[in-house]
Amino acid sequence: MSNNKLFTTPIDANVPVVNELVFEQINSQITDQLNTGVLVLDADFNIVLWNRFLQVHTDKITDNIIGKSIFTAFPELPQRWLSRKLSSVLQLNTPSFCSWQQRHHLFELPHTRPITTDSEFMAQNCTFLPIESDTRDRHICILIEDVTDACHYQMQLQKTLAEIAQISRIDGLTQIYNRRHWQDSLEQEYAKARRHDKKLSLIMLDLDHFKLLNDNYGHQGGDMVLIEVSALISALLRVEDTFGRYGGEEFAIILPETDSAGAMELAHRICRVIATTPLTYNSQVINVTVSLGVAQLSCNESNYEELITQADSALYQAKSQGRNQVCSAPELVS
Amino acid sequence: MNEFHLTEDQQDCLQELINIAMGQASDQLARYLDTFVYLKVPSIESVEASELMITLSQRKNTIAVVSQGFFGYEGIRGESLLIYQEEDSGRIADLLGYEPDELSQDEQLIDISSILTTTFLNVFAQQIDNQLSYNAPKLLPNVQEILSEHLQQMPFTWNLALKVNINYQVTDYSFNCNMIILIPETAITNIKYVLDRVLEEF
């Protein structure tokens, strides 16, 4: 009933606009000029019709296609999954879809942008349509759209966005996290520790006499020291720790699920490793040391900034006691 | 009460059409899924745009929304949203008869959504002598932030939304989701016209 509405205009008019033969010729020419693949299957998934688009792009001979099972003609198709999908079209009499975003392609067709894209096959959006005819035979029409361009640009965009997101988190010189990302991480870890009543510790550390280093070896020497020290410390951390550059020569480490004893142990190890690892710059040996302050989250802090303040004052204490050492924030008694 | 509100008769008529459509659709689905499907009587309500926004933004554990546009004769068109909660999506591959490694979780959600939407709306369209075409279903990314944004960026303004709660229970496991059908203002006028015609034919 409602199907006939598709052809309402030419059929219902008392005087046909064009005769049936011309009408058929128009239809078949449109099908062949379409920049979309058209494939029609019978209820047993044998191919009954294909258009020029597929003929040119598959480089297959019509005789090897028509009357053959779609899975024989296109052995690359995932048979089990696609059979189930095709059955749903016939049984439920509903269209079905397959997007490049979930499956890059179904049919292995070469595309027309060979250089710029990363897949050798055409990205496709496929639509499966139930076709009813006057006879009781049921058919499925598969439309195959070339979306290689859209796919390519989308991938480029995603890659660029990921790069930008990464760049916005990283300190350009040392390649560790920058202050903003580090602080965001601390805010999250603070909330997590409070919510789940977990331990959380912080290490703030500062290179000793950094200004002197810059004066003696120039800023490039200073930069090298920042890079090397960052790398030395990174190698001592667990994956769950967050290491960031807090300021010029000041660094900070977030230690989730770690008490002050664990944090002190790590701080001492960092202090020792930096002091005993000579760095070389322009064939000169540079010895550097760091001072560290450690603080553990207690019930006293009401926000993450207070934890930074605690670690910072412990760091100040380490500095004033002669540098190259670790101090822990005093446990406040509530 | 404004021009987009359905009269009581129109509301009853629509409810009846949807009940019939849902019944037939679930019968087809049960046969396709080749398993016993127990379907509760669908709860249907029409909600106002502002109300819907509040309801949707209050749901905390929504993990996925699949949207699919539809359009037919007589200006009937709209968009269906299928909304899944965290606990709904565990065994969709089983339900669809796929091997779990044949397709991603995203594709499973898209496939089941498309089947639910088109099966239901096709039968509904038959009831009102119409025929619908569909856009490819789309999984909305980053559901939490995106849903209200998506609703605001719809290509049409809509005042009335039909909310159809579908609850499928299959012998071995349960499957739940909500289907929300958004209908633009212009299409509501057309639906009212169609409903009046159906009422006259009774």
Side-chain angles (χ1 to χ4, degrees):
Chain A
M1 52 173 179
S2 44
N3 268 337
N4 294 335
K5 283 183 183 169
L6 274 177
F7 308 107
T8 299
T9 321
I11 291 169
D12 277 3
N14 286 335
V15 185
V17 183
V18 291
N19 72 42
E20 212 167 299
L21 185 66
V22 176
F23 189 64
E24 210 168 274
Q25 285 173 343
I26 292 173
N27 265 341
S28 82
Q29 277 186 47
I30 291 174
T31 311
D32 271 347
Q33 295 300 320
L34 273 182
N35 221 357
T36 297
V38 179
L39 195 64
V40 178
L41 311 180
D42 65 18
D44 298 319
F45 309 152
N46 295 317
I47 298 169
V48 299
L49 184 152
W50 70 339
N51 72 340
R52 189 172 168 276
F53 177 93
L54 281 178
Q55 213 169 329
V56 227
H57 281 89
T58 55
D59 203 20
K60 292 183 200 273
I61 301 158
T62 302
D63 288 353
N64 295 339
I65 296 292
I66 302 301
K68 296 283 186 309
S69 157
I70 186 174
F71 298 110
T72 312
F74 299 95
E76 69 268 27
L77 295 172
Q79 182 161 1
R80 198 191 134 97
W81 170 83
L82 187 56
S83 303
R84 190 73 183 137
K85 207 161 175 83
L86 294 170
S87 307
S88 83
V89 175
L90 288 175
Q91 271 193 44
L92 299 171
N93 199 27
T94 55
S96 190
F97 302 87
C98 179
S99 159
W100 69 267
Q101 284 171 301
Q102 277 72 50
R103 277 169 205 267
H104 180 269
H105 60 268
L106 277 184
F107 298 86
E108 289 182 356
L109 309 177
H111 56 68
T112 46
R113 298 182 55 104
I115 298 156
T116 48
T117 41
D118 33 19
S119 168
E120 62 176 306
F121 298 115
M122 176 194 292
Q124 293 150 24
N125 277 347
C126 296
T127 309
F128 307 86
L129 298 168
I131 304 283
E132 284 175 282
S133 58
D134 290 343
T135 63
R136 304 214 75 191
D137 299 340
R138 309 288 312 278
H139 291 93
I140 302 165
C141 173
I142 306 179
L143 300 176
I144 304 145
E145 279 175 85
D146 178 359
V147 289
T148 310
D149 276 357
C151 168
H152 173 63
Y153 293 128
Q154 185 76 28
M155 306 285 247
Q156 290 278 348
L157 179 66
Q158 270 163 11
K159 208 172 125 218
T160 310
L161 287 176
E163 277 168 16
I164 292 172
Q166 176 69 2
I167 288 167
S168 72
R169 289 195 291 262
I170 296 292
D171 173 59
L173 180 68
T174 57
Q175 297 301 307
I176 62 175
Y177 289 122
N178 59 23
R179 170 153 177 183
R180 200 189 53 194
H181 178 72
W182 181 86
Q183 204 149 328
D184 288 348
S185 304
L186 179 60
E187 192 177 355
Q188 282 172 26
E189 290 298 340
Y190 176 85
K192 233 189 277 177
R194 282 284 184 239
R195 191 166 50 239
H196 303 295
D197 200 18
K198 290 274 167 77
K199 297 190 179 88
L200 176 67
S201 290
L202 207 60
I203 300 176
M204 303 287 288
L205 65 120
D206 196 277
L207 279 164
D208 296 329
H209 300 300
F210 187 67
K211 196 176 171 310
L212 216 60
L213 270 174
N214 273 333
D215 292 346
N216 291 344
Y217 302 97
H219 281 98
Q220 282 174 327
D223 284 353
M224 183 281 293
V225 169
L226 289 172
I227 293 167
E228 292 296 321
V229 166
S230 300
L232 283 171
I233 295 173
S234 293
L236 298 174
L237 302 179
R238 306 167 300 179
V239 275
E240 56 267 38
D241 302 335
T242 308
F243 180 34
R245 189 174 174 198
Y246 195 74
E249 70 271 22
E250 194 172 355
F251 298 89
I253 310 165
I254 305 166
L255 305 165
E257 297 191 32
T258 306
D259 61 9
S260 65
M264 284 299 282
E265 195 189 313
L266 174 65
H268 280 296
R269 199 179 313 145
I270 291 171
C271 190
R272 200 168 53 241
V273 167
I274 301 294
T276 55
T277 311
L279 308 175
T280 37
Y281 176 68
N282 283 347
S283 55
Q284 287 174 283
V285 175
I286 308 178
N287 288 303
V288 296
T289 57
V290 291
S291 301
L292 307 93
V294 174
Q296 186 196 340
L297 186 67
S298 68
C299 49
N300 297 305
E301 299 84 11
S302 51
N303 55 47
Y304 73 91
E305 288 94 339
E306 284 179 33
L307 192 59
I308 297 180
T309 311
Q310 299 271 340
D312 226 12
S313 58
L315 169 60
Y316 181 77
Q317 201 191 337
K319 287 272 184 195
S320 60
Q321 285 177 7
R323 300 186 170 84
N324 190 23
Q325 56 185 281
V326 182
C327 274
S328 156
E331 300 278 330
L332 290 176
V333 185
S334 53
Chain B
M1 196 75 179
N2 61 37
E3 57 178 312
F4 301 116
H5 273 86
L6 304 181
T7 65
E8 205 173 309
D9 278 351
Q10 288 168 340
Q11 180 89 35
D12 287 349
C13 177
L14 183 61
Q15 173 92 35
E16 194 50 35
L17 290 173
I18 287 176
N19 284 350
I20 294 167
M22 193 51 88
Q24 287 189 18
S26 65
D27 179 52
Q28 286 185 27
L29 276 172
R31 264 182 281 161
Y32 171 66
L33 300 172
D34 197 23
T35 176
F36 180 73
V37 177
Y38 173 70
L39 179 82
K40 288 187 186 160
V41 176
S43 79
I44 298 150
E45 48 185 324
S46 56
V47 287
E48 303 228 8
S50 53
E51 211 179 303
L52 182 65
M53 299 284 271
I54 295 166
T55 321
L56 291 182
S57 57
Q58 277 169 348
R59 290 176 186 232
K60 289 281 178 283
N61 56 345
T62 297
I63 54 147
V65 177
V66 179
S67 96
Q68 189 166 19
F70 58 90
F71 37 97
Y73 300 111
E74 299 187 283
I76 303 292
R77 64 196 175 92
E79 182 173 309
S80 93
L81 296 177
L82 284 186
I83 302 180
Y84 298 85
Q85 311 288 302
E86 214 166 350
E87 59 277 8
D88 296 337
S89 51
R91 300 183 61 190
I92 295 173
D94 288 353
L95 182 67
L96 290 173
Y98 298 137
E99 295 291 328
D101 57 351
E102 278 183 306
L103 71 175
S104 65
Q105 174 84 6
D106 285 0
E107 195 171 11
Q108 295 174 25
L109 285 170
I110 291 172
D111 270 11
I112 187 80
S113 302
S114 183
I115 286 175
L116 292 174
T117 299
T118 57
T119 309
F120 166 66
L121 285 176
N122 266 6
V123 183
F124 178 72
Q126 275 169 25
Q127 307 278 319
I128 55 170
D129 266 344
N130 211 313
Q131 191 185 31
L132 296 175
S133 303
Y134 302 91
N135 289 334
K138 252 190 346 214
L139 187 70
L140 303 185
N142 307 327
V143 167
Q144 299 292 3
E145 307 102 68
I146 292 292
L147 192 54
S148 60
E149 206 177 291
H150 175 79
L151 291 175
Q152 278 158 8
Q153 288 173 354
M154 298 285 261
F156 47 74
T157 52
W158 51 274
N159 274 39
L160 177 86
L162 287 176
K163 206 169 133 212
V164 184
N165 290 310
I166 307 171
N167 185 294
Y168 285 98
Q169 292 187 344
V170 186
T171 322
D172 295 336
Y173 47 94
S174 69
F175 167 77
N176 297 283
C177 74
N178 281 300
M179 181 193 277
I180 291 175
I181 296 165
L182 304 174
I183 297 164
E185 282 176 1
T186 48
I188 293 171
T189 316
N190 298 325
I191 283 184
K192 284 161 70 97
Y193 171 76
V194 169
L195 290 174
D196 285 341
R197 197 183 60 210
V198 174
L199 283 166
E200 260 171 47
E201 284 168 7
F202 266 110

